[in-house]
Amino acid sequence: MGYTNLQECLKDLEARGELVRIDRQMDPDIEIGAVQRRVFRAGGPALLFTNVKGTRFPMAANIFGTRERLRYIFRDTLPTIEKLFRLKVDPFAAFKKPWQYLGAPRALWAAMPRTVSDGPVMAHQTTISELPHLRSWPMDGGAYVTLPQVYTESPARPGYGRSNLGMYRVQLTGNAFEPDREVGLHYQIHRGIGPHHAEALERHEPLKVNIFVGGPPAMTLAAIMPLPEGMPELMFAGALGGQRMRMVRQGRMLPILAEADFCISGTVYAGQQKPEGPFGDHLGYYSLAHDFPVLHVDRVTHRDGAVWPFTTVGRPPQEDTLFGDFIHELTAELVPTVFSGVHEVHAVDAAGVHPLLLAVGSERYVPYAEKRTPQELITCGLSLLGSTQTSLSKYVIIAAREDSPTPNAHDVPGFFRHMLERADFERDLHFVTRTTMDTLDYSGISLNQGSKVLWASTGPVRRRLATELTGNLPLPEGFGDPRVFAPGMLVIAGPRHDRGRDEHDPRMQALADALEHAEGLDGFPLIAVVDDSAFTAADWDNYLWVVFTRSDPATDMYGVRSFTHCKHWGTRGPLVIDARLKTYHAPALEPDPEVERRVDALGAPGGPLHGII
């Protein structure tokens, strides 16, 4: 069966040669995070740092750092979990082929948490100061927990059935937090802890919060799993871990994961917020300091032999990329049951996940029409923008399954080619302005607010995409270095952005006006204006990251011969996206050169990572 605790997992990985111990002293301030990222990029093993500066606790990293290792960790239960998800798709499958679902009752039994009076995590008490203080990037505002499992229950109806387990950012030190007494609790919009906090405020009660670190690996994955409303992550963790999660309940306290390595227990009081951040985040930029709830620390406990697991995030791909891929594999068959008419979704990791969602839907509303046009696709796209984590998407680009060849949302170059061949930008763009957006995305008009666009195209091929420029472009002053990135996709370097937030740039409109007189642009329906066209056009990862993390659809889309008719915006010529870094954007993540040189030394002959990095 699955691992009862983190120690069992690490011991097994070491026996398989999948874990390397690093016994020389390492600094959790920047250095250890840089090592983890380097080993991840190399496809290397899990890491156990046994001599961590400033703390007596060892730290473990890159546990989930390869697809093969991730699947190995959950090898005993994955077949049954996959069958349970298929059962959700077709509830009659168990009756048609019952022998394939023999493990389902055991998995459902394992999903039920077990209340106990004591557990290993209660063995010792410590303080926030004595914990490992991981700081991943030079401008981070303090030390953070990067693999936390934040547990809350409904204040109105407490119990496991209405619990929430989420991976929300926890700042241990820095800013104005009182040492050992306060930590920052950063949770973004559309997170399960939000309703619990709202209930507590309505009832004029404080919110009890437990933060587990370590424990069964299944708990880590469950904390990031986008489960349907009403399915507690704690129960999914039991099914994935192959055994009931033991929860310590003493008196009226909030339950604590018995096999966790650490637990930070605390209380959130009404009206108490403090600045949290900056923090180098998974979009590849710093999220800046903003006011978030303060958790008053009541107690910190840990088990014998406790190990502090961590990851670091940054511009994708990182270790959390594999979490996303793994979750997609598990839930791909559920997509049509959650979104009617949608067959495939791909939240593009290289673009920071939420900024770009590619999807394949149906176009069946008028099957007898001589020519297919986007109709059901728009309904599908609005459904994606209306619920679950897909509602945080900024660009939703949706194709029709009925088109030939059938589009594949996970073949990004092929998908863009398919869409651009069929795009009618007089018709296919649908904007939602001044709406909620991902907290970490700084391209909008304020924190948590910006715009979204649904691009839905279908029907026969409308144009042949160009692969080279046939003439000179009439570019205004400040614009230059045009490059063909992919068929139909052009990248142009623009002047440094100098406008304020929530403003159009008249120089971009001047560019669109100038391109109206250009020859040979018919084959380039999509133009991106960037700071560095050579960097952006170097590969798909660069293009996706630059274009979709640095633009807000309503603010930063322009068009050659654009128009507004009855509040519908479109363009008769190429679509132009302003993807330059804006004056109000958060800075991009840059490594510390001196730290990187120290990491290089670990990979030199005689170093603990020789032959790995």
Side-chain angles (χ1 to χ4, degrees):
M1 299 304 292
Y3 302 109
T4 300
N5 50 50
L6 180 60
Q7 285 68 23
E8 289 182 359
C9 178
L10 296 179
K11 182 178 180 180
D12 187 26
L13 293 180
E14 187 169 29
R16 283 174 52 86
E18 289 273 349
L19 180 144
V20 168
R21 290 176 178 259
I22 299 180
D23 295 325
R24 68 174 61 179
Q25 188 179 74
M26 301 294 294
D27 195 338
D29 189 67
I30 310 298
E31 185 177 45
I32 279 181
V35 172
Q36 184 270 326
R37 292 192 297 274
R38 188 79 68 84
V39 172
F40 168 78
R41 288 198 299 271
L47 303 169
L48 183 62
F49 299 92
T50 62
N51 184 2
V52 181
K53 184 178 179 180
T55 182
R56 68 182 186 274
F57 298 109
M59 299 176 72
N62 212 42
I63 299 167
F64 309 101
T66 69
R67 184 186 303 270
E68 295 73 22
R69 188 156 63 245
L70 186 53
R71 293 193 72 87
Y72 174 78
I73 288 171
F74 301 110
R75 64 196 178 280
D76 292 335
T77 56
L78 267 183
T80 299
I81 294 296
E82 289 166 343
K83 288 173 184 176
L84 284 173
F85 277 126
R86 286 198 294 273
L87 192 62
K88 171 72 174 177
V89 175
D90 181 5
F92 296 104
F95 297 102
K96 296 174 184 175
K97 299 179 180 178
W99 59 89
Q100 293 187 358
Y101 295 88
L102 294 178
R106 175 177 291 181
L108 295 175
W109 172 251
M112 302 303 296
R114 178 184 169 194
T115 299
V116 296
S117 60
D118 202 358
V121 71
M122 311 299 290
H124 306 282
Q125 290 200 37
T126 187
T127 64
I128 297 295
S129 297
E130 294 180 325
L131 298 176
H133 287 178
L134 176 77
R135 201 166 68 97
S136 302
W137 295 97
M139 288 175 55
D140 281 358
Y144 282 84
V145 188
T146 56
L147 285 178
Q149 307 152 33
V150 181
Y151 181 81
T152 55
E153 292 184 354
S154 164
R157 303 182 68 179
Y160 303 130
R162 285 176 171 79
S163 65
N164 178 74
L165 186 73
M167 193 167 286
Y168 313 127
R169 215 161 73 201
V170 177
Q171 183 173 351
L172 296 178
T173 66
N175 298 356
F177 298 121
E178 294 186 36
D180 290 326
R181 298 181 61 186
E182 296 177 336
V183 299
L185 181 58
H186 171 123
Y187 69 84
Q188 300 155 38
I189 62 172
H190 208 289
R191 297 299 190 265
I193 192 176
H196 288 174
H197 197 181
E199 283 182 12
L201 294 173
E202 290 170 3
R203 295 165 63 89
H204 304 288
E205 297 176 359
L207 179 68
K208 289 293 185 180
V209 178
N210 280 338
I211 301 167
F212 312 136
V213 182
M219 286 287 286
T220 298
L221 189 70
I224 59 173
M225 194 75 184
L227 296 176
E229 189 172 349
M231 183 184 291
E233 294 84 3
L234 181 61
M235 296 184 180
F236 176 79
L240 182 62
Q243 51 195 293
R244 299 172 69 185
M245 291 296 147
R246 297 194 306 133
M247 302 294 289
V248 178
R249 189 184 290 273
Q250 297 177 350
R252 300 183 63 183
M253 74 178 197
L254 192 66
I256 294 176
L257 178 64
E259 293 289 347
D261 286 70
F262 300 86
C263 179
I264 303 171
S265 298
T267 307
V268 176
Y269 294 97
Q272 296 193 11
Q273 294 88 36
K274 286 187 176 182
E276 181 272 353
F279 179 77
D281 227 314
H282 70 262
L283 266 70
Y285 308 89
Y286 287 96
S287 56
L288 303 180
H290 300 284
D291 286 349
F292 280 95
V294 175
L295 182 72
H296 292 260
V297 178
D298 298 325
R299 180 170 60 172
V300 183
T301 63
H302 69 89
R303 68 184 299 144
D304 284 326
V307 176
W308 185 271
F310 75 93
T311 190
T312 56
V313 293
R315 180 187 162 187
Q318 301 287 348
E319 188 176 10
D320 57 349
T321 298
L322 297 182
F323 283 137
D325 291 345
F326 184 71
I327 290 170
H328 170 76
E329 291 175 14
L330 286 179
T331 60
E333 292 186 78
L334 290 178
V335 169
T337 71
V338 178
F339 306 107
S340 179
V342 179
H343 306 285
E344 183 186 11
V345 295
H346 179 197
V348 181
D349 183 71
V353 181
H354 290 316
L356 176 63
L357 182 74
L358 308 182
V360 177
S362 289
E363 189 50 73
R364 305 163 298 184
Y365 278 0
V366 191
Y368 50 82
E370 182 178 342
K371 183 178 178 182
R372 256 194 318 279
T373 59
Q375 296 179 76
E376 185 178 4
L377 284 186
I378 298 172
T379 302
C380 293
L382 292 175
S383 177
L384 290 167
L385 284 172
S387 63
T388 75
Q389 292 295 304
T390 63
S391 67
L392 293 175
S393 304
K394 183 169 59 173
Y395 287 85
V396 175
I397 308 178
I398 187 165
R401 184 171 69 168
E402 290 75 15
D403 286 338
S404 180
T406 302
N408 176 1
H410 284 77
D411 172 13
V412 175
F415 189 89
F416 270 88
R417 181 165 192 154
H418 176 97
M419 293 297 291
L420 290 171
E421 287 176 335
R422 292 162 175 79
D424 178 355
F425 289 133
E426 295 185 51
R427 171 197 72 185
D428 293 348
L429 300 175
H430 309 275
F431 292 85
V432 182
T433 61
R434 299 186 181 273
T435 187
T436 52
M437 66 185 299
D438 183 15
T439 305
L440 303 180
D441 192 325
Y442 282 86
S443 66
I445 61 175
S446 67
L447 183 69
N448 291 330
Q449 189 177 32
S451 67
K452 303 176 187 295
V453 66
L454 169 62
W455 166 10
S457 294
T458 186
V461 171
R462 298 174 57 86
R463 66 178 59 81
R464 182 175 181 179
L465 302 180
T467 57
E468 60 180 359
L469 280 169
T470 58
N472 293 325
L473 295 180
L475 300 177
E477 183 179 355
F479 296 89
D481 197 18
R483 294 173 183 253
V484 176
F485 167 63
M489 304 170 74
L490 194 62
V491 176
I492 298 174
R496 184 183 295 273
H497 184 267
D498 62 1
R499 312 299 294 183
R501 190 183 290 276
D502 199 20
E503 290 183 37
H504 279 301
D505 188 339
R507 293 177 299 178
M508 290 296 301
Q509 189 58 54
L511 171 67
D513 293 341
L515 292 178
E516 186 174 348
H517 308 291
E519 296 181 359
L521 279 188
D522 291 344
F524 291 104
L526 183 59
I527 299 173
V529 177
V530 301
D531 297 293
D532 185 337
S533 56
F535 172 82
T536 305
D539 55 43
W540 274 95
D541 281 355
N542 286 3
Y543 181 90
L544 295 168
W545 182 61
V546 168
V547 172
F548 295 103
T549 65
R550 299 183 181 183
S551 62
D552 173 76
T555 305
D556 296 323
M557 277 188 166
Y558 301 81
V560 177
R561 301 191 301 279
S562 63
F563 65 90
T564 302
H565 176 71
C566 295
K567 299 184 177 65
H568 174 78
W569 186 90
T571 180
R572 298 179 178 90
L575 179 67
V576 181
I577 300 177
D578 180 2
R580 297 170 296 167
L581 275 171
K582 309 304 190 295
T583 56
Y584 44 85
H585 280 182
L589 301 180
E590 297 289 346
D592 183 315
E594 175 56 34
V595 170
E596 294 299 317
R597 283 191 286 271
R598 296 206 299 268
V599 176
D600 289 340
L602 297 176
L609 297 178
H610 179 60
I612 296 175
I613 61 173

